[in-house]
């Protein structure tokens, strides 16, 4: 699953919606497509634990029924999390998601994680070669790194890093990987990388899109009797268990 | 192996989803419980192989309808191959990630002559000896099927068995017999299997050639082995297996849609067409069957598009109700219908308009030749008037670009025929500009004619590369504004021609070419003609012998022992009629043309809308 490209993921979701016979809304125009939009692009080679989609429906549907039908139709390597009704005042996921967290699972040998974290956060500047738009140029990551959590036992390590997404600084997972390599880790010690979450960061709190929308955009649609209404869908890839 | 792949290997290759398996509707049977274990190998990359309908049929047939097991294998792209060789990962199947060497049968689908180098490369990656004579009872039985094996001889030394004709008709019978022949010595096993109609085991035959290179004799080495091998035919497509739950890949493949095979065979009788002869007779599926197959496939795949596949889908007698039904049932859900090939007439355009109400992208028509005289020679029964009517109908209803297929190097071709191609293109452009507000785009694809075994033109010489080159240049010089010409690579056409009418003496050439690094020969970025030329030179094989000669009617051909049901006399008559510029009508319209297929195969035309007048009713 983690090797799917962005477009492949969209196709997978669209085909699942068709198999589930969900009353999706179609766009107008020359090439009608399902009104489905993805939160943020999940890079090839990475799986995500909490990824979000918005779907517009052509008619309102009971959310429990929706969840049940879609979860049967999804391939077994994708798990359906929560689904939540939203109304058309909800801004697009892509606009509101401004932070993400990535997890690096580690195998020995690797340095002491507590010490590594302390030293890293103490540094005023962290530069890597940019992998994004300005490929090859130096990129300053420090302001985009919000928070780091570490966990360590004898033969296992886990580093979770919360970073900025979008403007003004966008931190990519492969840039974090390079940062790890620069600061004492080896490629061999990184056993697995995945995205653990997508958030709307407000001050020091990280809200999931579902939480934000529960507060602001769920005055039930169909309330005034008019479609369109929609659903936010959370899905997650399965962990590769050894 | 699977762990190593997912953790260390796949992140280093392009398009890793080619190698991960686990697609929706994948069938993974219990290895221990299964009968014969067969690997189905497609000698091209995943996205091409997964688009092939025949493979989907056999996959479902074996896995759903028998106790045997069938798993998929594709040719790894060169980046993956390099890592596999470096890390000593053998060729593996996508279902259980087992080495191909663990299977009892390894079956290749041969759709294209030049995919043979990929076959050798895959055998090598699997650790299986390339030459049939070097494999013993412990190795998988290496077999092949598909359109190319109607002349299996160039590949005879690499395969143990060829299966001739419709695979779903014979594969289960074959696998049952493989199971009951376990433990036998290889030659005994081959003899048992060769007793099945449609099964050819090349090692059981002696071939001799005359001094001038022409076939002298082709004889079975054992009394019980049949002298001729007759192709297998599905008589009733409604009774034949067709998958309701085809695999749905995670990555985009070449033909990424549900497929309805509306019929098999084509009786238009174009004299250059290989498939049109070897897949006779026409057998249609009934509307009810197709409607139910469409419903099941869409339900089980979630595909956004369904396409009608066959050699000439608009000749299907129920095409009108079928299309209306599909558009009516699925259009509102955003599911589209696509027609890969269009007939050259206004009726076809109307139908195309019907199914593509919103998306008017490119329309493709195939007049094949530039003048009426040459179209009569090749029996492409399309008049210029029909063509221009179709073009007018298309541009009137809003299409903005048109693609036309032609062939160069056809028998009897003159300069005026090449001029004729340009003239047609200019007329088409003129009509387009008349009806459209903005300048239309005209594209012409010009293939080189390759004479194929079992066709009326099997006696004809093929144009040399120099001839094709001068014709291509002649046409290019006449290029006009917003008419784009694209030519097939004349070197690949030449090689195709050598293999298409080749014999067993080509095996060393193919082997050498592979040794020199030839693979993915159908992909222009990998095609290396120099290596092939060196291989011919070093093995002292003269390719012109296969392509350059006008062959006499009395010559014995290496593929004559394959009984396709259509008689050699009919092919010869067709060739003579071509010489005289006479056409032969479709037997559904004007009665039997005596090709011999119905008598030979004890079949009759299976046309659901009635045999004779179905076509006229439509037009």
């Amino acid at each position: 699953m983690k090797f799917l490209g962005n477009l492949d993921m969209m196709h997978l979701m669209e085909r699942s919606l068709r198999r589930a016979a969900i009353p999706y809304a179609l766009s107008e125009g020359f090439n009608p497509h399902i009104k489905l939009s993805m939160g943020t692009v999940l890079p090839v080679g990475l799986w995500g634990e909490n990824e979000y989609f918005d779907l517009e429906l052509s008619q309102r549907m009971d959310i429990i029924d929706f969840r049940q039908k879609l979860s049967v139709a999804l391939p077994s390597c994708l798990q359906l999390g929560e689904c939540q009704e939203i109304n058309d005042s909800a801004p697009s996921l892509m606009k509101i998601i401004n932070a993400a967290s990535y997890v690096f699972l580690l195998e020995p040998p690797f340095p002491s994680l507590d010490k590594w974290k302390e030293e890293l956060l103490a540094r005023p500047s962290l530069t890597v070669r940019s992998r994004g738009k300005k490929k090859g140029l130096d990129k300053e990551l420090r302001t985009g790194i919000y928070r780091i959590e570490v966990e360590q036992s004898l033969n296992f390590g886990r580093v979770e890093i919360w970073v900025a997404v979008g403007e003004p600084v966008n931190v990519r997972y492969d840039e974090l990987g390079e940062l790890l390599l620069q600061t004492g880790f080896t490629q061999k010690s990184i056993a697995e990388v995945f995205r653990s979450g997508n958030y709307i960061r407000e001050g020091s709190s990280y809200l999931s899109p579902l939480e934000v929308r529960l507060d602001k955009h769920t005055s039930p649609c169909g309330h005034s009797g008019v479609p369109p209404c929609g659903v936010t869908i959370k899905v997650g890839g399965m962990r590769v268990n050894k | 192996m699977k762990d190593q792949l997912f953790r260390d290997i796949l992140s280093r290759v392009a398009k890793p989803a080619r190698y991960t398996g686990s697609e929706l509707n994948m069938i993974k049977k219990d290895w221990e419980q299964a009968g014969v274990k067969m690997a189905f190998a497609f000698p091209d990359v995943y996205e091409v192989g997964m688009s092939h309908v025949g493979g989907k049929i056999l996959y479902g047939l074996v896995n759903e309808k028998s106790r045997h097991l069938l798993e998929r294998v594709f040719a790894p792209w060169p980046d993956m191959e390099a890592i596999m060789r470096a890390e000593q990962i053998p060729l593996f199947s996508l279902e259980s990630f087992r080495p191909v060497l663990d299977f009892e049968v390894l079956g290749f689908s041969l759709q294209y002559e030049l995919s043979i180098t990929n076959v050798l490369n895959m055998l090598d990656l699997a650790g299986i000896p390339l030459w049939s004579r070097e494999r013993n009872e412990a190795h998988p039985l290496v077999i092949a099927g598909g359109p190319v094996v109607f002349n299996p001889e160039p590949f005879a030394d690499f395969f143990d068995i060829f299966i001739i004709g419709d695979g779903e008709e014979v594969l289960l019978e074959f696998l049952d017999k493989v199971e009951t022949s376990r433990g036998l010595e290889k030659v005994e096993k081959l003899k048992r299997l060769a007793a099945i109609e449609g099964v050819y085991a090349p090692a059981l035959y002696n071939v001799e050639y005359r001094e001038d290179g022409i076939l002298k004799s082709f004889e079975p080495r054992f009394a019980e082995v049949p002298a001729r091998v007759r192709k297998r035919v599905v008589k009733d497509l409604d009774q034949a297996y067709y998958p309701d739950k085809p695999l749905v890949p995670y990555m985009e493949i070449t033909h990424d849609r549900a497929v309805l095979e509306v019929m098999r065979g084509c009786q238009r009788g174009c004299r250059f067409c290989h498939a049109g002869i070897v897949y006779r007779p026409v057998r249609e599926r009934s509307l009810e069957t197709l409607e139910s197959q469409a419903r099941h496939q869409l339900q089980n795949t979630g595909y956004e598009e369904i396409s009608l596949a066959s050699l000439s889908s608009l000749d299907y007698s129920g095409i009108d109700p079928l299309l209306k039904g599909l558009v009516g049932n699925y259009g509102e859900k955003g599911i589209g219908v696509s027609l890969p090939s269009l007939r050259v007439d206004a009726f076809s355009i109307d139908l195309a308009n019907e199914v593509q109400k919103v998306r008017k992208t490119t329309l493709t028509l195939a007049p094949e030749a530039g003048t009426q005289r040459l179209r009569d020679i090749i029996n492409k029964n399309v008049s210029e008037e029909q063509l221009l009517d179709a073009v007018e109908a298309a541009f009137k209803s809003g299409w903005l670009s048109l693609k036309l297929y032609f062939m160069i190097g056809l028998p009897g071709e003159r300069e005026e025929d090449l001029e004729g191609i340009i003239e047609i293109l200019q007329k088409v452009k003129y009509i387009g500009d008349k009806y459209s507000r903005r300048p239309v785009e005209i594209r012409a694809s010009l293939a080189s004619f390759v004479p194929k075994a079992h066709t009326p033109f099997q006696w004809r010489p093929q144009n040399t590369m120099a001839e094709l080159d001068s014709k291509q240049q002649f046409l290019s010089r006449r290029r006009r504004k917003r008419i784009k010409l694209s030519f097939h690579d004349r070197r690949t056409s030449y090689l195709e021609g050598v293999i298409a009418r080749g014999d067993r003496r080509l095996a060393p050439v193919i082997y050498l070419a592979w040794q020199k690094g030839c693979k993915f020969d159908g992909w222009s970025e990998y095609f290396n003609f120099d290596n092939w030329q060196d291989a011919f030179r070093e093995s002292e094989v003269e390719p012109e012998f296969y392509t350059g000669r006008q062959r006499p009617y009395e010559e014995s051909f290496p593929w004559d022992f394959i009984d396709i049901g259509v008689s050699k006399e009919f092919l010869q008559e067709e060739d003579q009629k071509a010489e005289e510029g006479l056409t032969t009508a479709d037997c559904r319209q004007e009665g039997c043309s005596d090709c011999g297929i119905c008598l030979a195969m004890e079949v009759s035309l299976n046309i659901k809308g009635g045999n004779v007048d179905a076509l006229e009713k439509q037009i």
Side-chain angles (χ1 to χ4, degrees):
Chain A
M1 189 57 48
K2 66 177 183 177
F3 294 116
L4 296 195
N6 191 30
L7 214 62
D8 298 332
M9 193 64 195
M10 287 299 280
H11 281 150
L12 183 154
M13 287 299 291
E14 288 163 5
R15 287 168 187 170
S16 303
L17 290 166
R18 282 192 209 94
R19 289 194 297 275
I22 301 291
Y24 45 76
L26 288 171
S27 68
E28 307 282 320
F30 285 120
N31 192 356
H33 58 268
I34 297 179
K35 290 190 168 178
L36 175 75
S37 55
M38 189 186 279
T40 46
V41 170
L42 187 62
V44 178
L46 215 62
W47 54 274
E49 223 170 25
N50 296 287
E51 300 295 318
Y52 303 88
F53 292 86
D54 275 350
L55 171 71
E56 194 176 313
L57 296 176
S58 63
Q59 63 190 74
R60 198 172 174 208
M61 192 177 174
D62 176 63
I63 200 75
I64 296 169
D65 190 27
F66 175 91
R67 197 182 177 285
Q68 207 262 331
K69 282 190 167 139
L70 183 58
S71 98
V72 172
L74 280 179
S76 58
C77 47
L78 257 197
Q79 276 169 356
L80 185 60
E82 292 158 66
C83 300
Q84 185 179 286
E85 207 169 348
I86 49 170
N87 62 24
D88 57 0
S89 73
S92 81
L93 287 168
M94 215 174 284
K95 270 192 194 137
I96 56 171
I97 291 176
N98 59 9
S101 57
Y102 294 95
V103 170
F104 293 81
L105 298 180
L106 307 165
E107 283 172 2
F110 53 82
S112 156
L113 295 184
D114 284 323
K115 201 162 158 243
W116 168 82
K117 172 187 164 183
E118 201 180 311
E119 283 176 12
L120 193 83
L121 290 180
R123 282 160 64 171
S125 159
L126 295 167
T127 53
V128 296
R129 245 173 313 132
S130 171
R131 307 288 183 98
K133 285 176 202 159
K134 294 175 180 165
K135 222 171 188 167
L137 293 181
D138 277 351
K139 180 168 168 183
E140 174 56 54
L141 296 187
R142 185 61 193 88
T143 53
I145 295 180
Y146 296 139
R147 178 177 151 196
I148 298 178
E149 298 282 334
V150 298
E151 199 187 320
Q152 184 164 13
S153 69
L154 203 57
N155 51 12
F156 166 82
R158 184 181 193 275
V159 172
E160 186 164 15
I161 309 176
W162 280 258
V163 298
V165 167
E167 295 299 320
V169 58
N170 184 55
V171 179
R172 294 163 50 105
Y173 89 100
D174 42 9
E175 292 162 352
L176 289 177
E178 198 188 315
L179 194 63
L180 259 64
L181 296 183
Q182 281 178 14
T183 51
F185 296 85
T186 59
Q187 194 69 57
K188 248 193 128 111
S189 64
I190 302 173
E192 180 81 53
V193 189
F194 63 92
R195 180 152 77 189
S196 49
N198 291 282
Y199 313 96
I200 294 92
R201 179 175 179 254
E202 290 175 2
S204 61
S205 61
Y206 296 85
L207 300 171
S208 86
L210 291 168
E211 287 170 311
V212 169
R213 287 164 170 211
L214 191 62
D215 293 344
K216 295 178 186 160
H217 305 290
T218 44
S219 60
C221 40
H223 188 62
S224 50
V226 272
C229 40
V231 183
T232 301
I233 306 163
K234 181 171 105 178
V235 295
M238 229 167 30
R239 282 281 296 278
V240 182
N241 290 316
K242 288 260 166 85
Chain B
M1 173 153 63
K2 196 177 176 181
D3 282 349
Q4 188 195 359
L5 274 175
F6 280 77
R7 189 181 153 178
D8 301 330
I9 311 284
L10 292 183
S11 54
R12 291 151 61 191
V13 300
K15 301 192 182 177
R18 285 167 174 162
Y19 315 103
T20 56
S22 306
E23 299 91 334
L24 187 83
N25 298 333
M26 183 183 93
I27 305 174
K28 185 182 170 189
K29 278 182 142 173
D30 185 308
W31 186 268
E32 303 303 329
Q33 299 294 314
V36 175
K37 287 103 176 157
M38 172 169 171
F40 178 82
F42 199 97
D44 207 319
V45 72
Y46 177 87
E47 50 269 40
V48 174
M50 283 295 288
S51 302
H52 177 239
V53 180
K56 294 181 205 205
I57 294 176
L58 298 181
Y59 185 78
L61 175 78
V62 174
N63 288 325
E64 287 173 24
K65 300 288 174 193
S66 80
R67 26 185 311 281
H68 309 303
L69 156 165
L70 188 131
E71 302 195 350
R72 294 163 299 146
V73 187
F74 300 95
W77 195 246
D79 65 338
M80 178 67 167
E81 182 194 333
I83 296 179
M84 287 169 72
R85 289 191 187 274
E87 312 265 341
Q88 297 188 317
I89 298 171
L91 190 69
F92 58 88
S93 69
L94 289 186
E95 275 70 17
S96 59
F97 291 90
R98 276 174 195 270
V100 167
L101 205 53
D102 288 359
F103 289 78
E104 236 172 316
V105 177
L106 169 60
F108 283 91
S109 172
L110 295 181
Q111 302 294 315
Y112 176 52
E113 286 87 358
L114 298 190
S115 60
I116 185 63
T117 47
N118 270 13
V119 171
L120 299 193
N121 207 37
M122 289 170 80
L123 287 172
D124 185 60
L125 273 170
I128 297 172
L130 274 53
W131 301 95
S132 164
R133 60 173 181 272
E134 290 174 8
R135 295 191 293 262
N136 58 32
E137 296 76 17
H139 291 113
L141 207 56
V142 180
I143 71 173
V148 168
V149 308
F150 284 99
N151 175 18
E153 287 304 89
F155 311 144
D157 291 341
F158 303 117
F159 290 93
D160 304 310
I161 297 264
F162 292 98
I163 292 187
I164 317 290
D166 295 333
E168 70 264 60
E169 184 67 15
V170 52
L171 187 57
L172 295 186
E173 187 182 343
F174 178 82
L175 292 177
D176 286 346
K177 213 157 197 177
V178 167
E179 192 170 27
T180 56
S181 314
R182 277 178 182 156
L184 290 181
E185 223 185 301
K186 189 169 169 186
V187 66
E188 289 308 313
K189 194 186 267 187
L190 292 181
K191 275 155 84 178
R192 293 263 299 257
L193 293 168
I196 303 173
E197 192 168 75
V199 172
Y200 165 52
L204 303 181
Y205 296 80
N206 278 330
V207 186
E208 288 182 64
Y209 301 94
R210 302 192 321 214
E211 235 167 63
D212 61 2
I214 287 163
L215 183 76
K216 185 174 166 197
S217 66
F218 180 92
E219 276 158 11
R221 289 169 50 209
F222 306 93
E224 65 268 39
V225 176
R228 303 196 77 199
V229 179
R230 168 170 287 199
K231 79 170 180 195
R232 291 293 288 266
V233 165
V234 170
K235 291 188 181 174
D236 183 354
L237 276 191
D238 279 333
Q239 301 299 319
Y241 172 84
Y242 197 79
D244 276 337
K245 293 179 78 172
L247 283 157
V248 186
Y250 289 124
M251 63 176 283
E252 197 174 345
I253 59 171
T254 314
H255 299 292
D256 211 0
R257 51 189 81 99
V259 179
L260 281 184
E261 190 198 19
V262 295
M263 61 181 185
R264 206 169 290 177
C266 171
Q267 254 145 250
R268 303 222 130 212
C270 301
R271 292 180 179 129
F272 54 84
C273 182
H274 180 249
I277 298 288
V278 299
Y279 290 121
R280 285 188 178 209
V282 167
R283 291 143 290 159
E284 293 192 338
R285 280 200 166 89
S286 68
L287 263 181
E288 299 76 59
T289 306
L290 291 170
E291 275 160 6
S292 132
Q293 287 177 353
R295 189 171 61 248
H296 286 118
Q297 279 200 62
L298 290 172
Q299 263 168 12
N300 292 325
T301 62
Y303 267 126
E304 58 280 4
E305 189 177 344
I306 188 159
S307 124
L308 306 187
S310 77
L311 293 171
S312 176
S313 294
L314 291 191
D315 284 340
Y316 174 61
S317 61
I319 189 70
D320 206 26
L322 176 66
L323 284 178
K324 289 204 166 106
L326 291 175
V327 172
N329 286 334
Y330 305 109
E332 276 186 9
K333 294 175 189 158
I335 296 171
V337 181
S338 67
L339 299 165
S341 60
L342 286 189
R343 252 180 12 212
V344 184
D345 54 40
F347 165 77
S348 298
I349 306 297
D350 288 346
L351 275 185
N353 288 337
E354 190 74 33
V355 299
Q356 294 180 319
K357 285 203 172 96
V358 280
R359 220 178 314 171
K360 288 202 164 59
T361 48
T362 303
L363 202 63
T364 305
L365 299 171
E368 307 290 5
T371 63
Q372 193 59 49
R373 188 190 59 84
L374 192 54
R375 283 194 296 273
D376 287 348
I377 289 178
I378 62 176
N379 205 40
K380 181 84 194 182
N381 292 321
V382 168
S383 68
E384 184 162 322
E385 195 188 342
Q386 276 172 317
L387 173 70
L388 296 181
D389 281 352
V391 168
E392 187 172 340
F395 286 126
K396 255 187 187 168
S397 48
W399 299 80
L400 289 171
S401 97
L402 201 64
K403 192 170 177 188
L404 295 118
Y405 283 135
F406 290 97
M407 266 188 280
I408 57 173
L410 287 163
E413 183 182 65
R414 303 175 189 153
E415 200 174 291
E416 70 196 47
D417 300 304
L418 301 178
E419 292 282 7
I421 292 176
I422 300 294
E423 277 165 30
I424 286 181
L425 292 172
Q426 284 168 336
K427 282 179 193 165
V428 167
K429 174 91 170 79
Y430 175 79
I431 295 172
D433 289 341
K434 196 163 84 184
Y435 287 103
S436 167
R437 255 178 256 160
R438 50 183 160 132
V440 295
E441 191 181 291
I442 310 294
R443 282 180 296 157
S445 165
L446 297 114
S448 337
F449 167 66
V450 177
K452 299 266 168 129
H454 301 294
T455 66
F457 290 153
Q458 62 178 347
W459 292 276
R460 301 281 184 153
Q462 180 175 347
N463 271 189
T464 62
M465 283 184 286
E467 283 170 318
L468 288 173
D469 186 39
S470 74
K471 288 175 185 180
Q472 291 183 356
Q473 287 194 25
F474 178 87
L475 288 165
S476 304
R477 279 199 298 272
R478 278 162 179 72
R479 207 174 287 196
R480 288 291 183 274
K481 232 185 176 181
R482 291 184 80 85
I483 297 177
K484 207 170 160 255
L485 307 181
S486 65
F487 297 97
H488 281 199
D489 189 329
R490 55 191 179 274
R491 301 167 307 170
T492 24
S493 307
Y494 181 67
L495 276 181
E496 269 172 58
V498 173
I499 295 177
R501 292 186 293 170
D503 56 38
R504 292 190 181 190
R505 290 167 301 181
L506 289 178
V509 182
I510 294 166
Y511 182 79
L512 259 178
W514 166 75
Q515 270 196 327
K516 291 174 187 298
C518 288
K519 60 189 170 195
F520 286 101
D521 285 307
W523 295 73
S524 54
E525 66 262 50
Y526 287 103
F527 179 63
N528 185 327
F529 191 56
D530 291 343
N531 281 343
W532 277 99
Q533 280 183 308
D534 291 345
F536 278 110
R537 207 169 31 244
E538 285 167 37
S539 39
E540 296 179 1
V541 170
E542 181 47 66
E544 289 294 323
F545 171 80
Y546 299 99
T547 59
R549 297 183 298 126
Q550 168 70 47
R551 304 182 185 210
Y553 284 136
E554 56 277 10
E555 180 172 332
S556 298
F557 291 145
W559 56 89
D560 280 347
F561 77 97
I562 300 274
D563 179 3
I564 56 162
V566 174
S567 71
K568 203 174 175 183
E569 291 72 41
F570 171 76
L571 298 178
Q572 186 178 328
E573 280 163 28
E574 281 296 294
D575 185 49
Q576 281 162 339
K577 281 171 93 174
E579 198 58 40
E580 296 157 30
L582 299 173
T583 60
T584 302
D586 186 321
C587 62
R588 285 177 299 183
Q589 288 168 290
E590 291 180 21
C592 179
S593 52
D594 260 335
C595 73
I597 187 77
C598 294
L599 267 175
M601 296 291 159
E602 292 170 359
V603 288
S604 53
L605 280 186
N606 196 344
I607 310 296
K608 303 298 178 187
N611 284 5
V612 182
D613 57 358
L615 217 87
E616 281 146 325
K617 260 193 274 172
Q618 292 167 18
I619 300 172

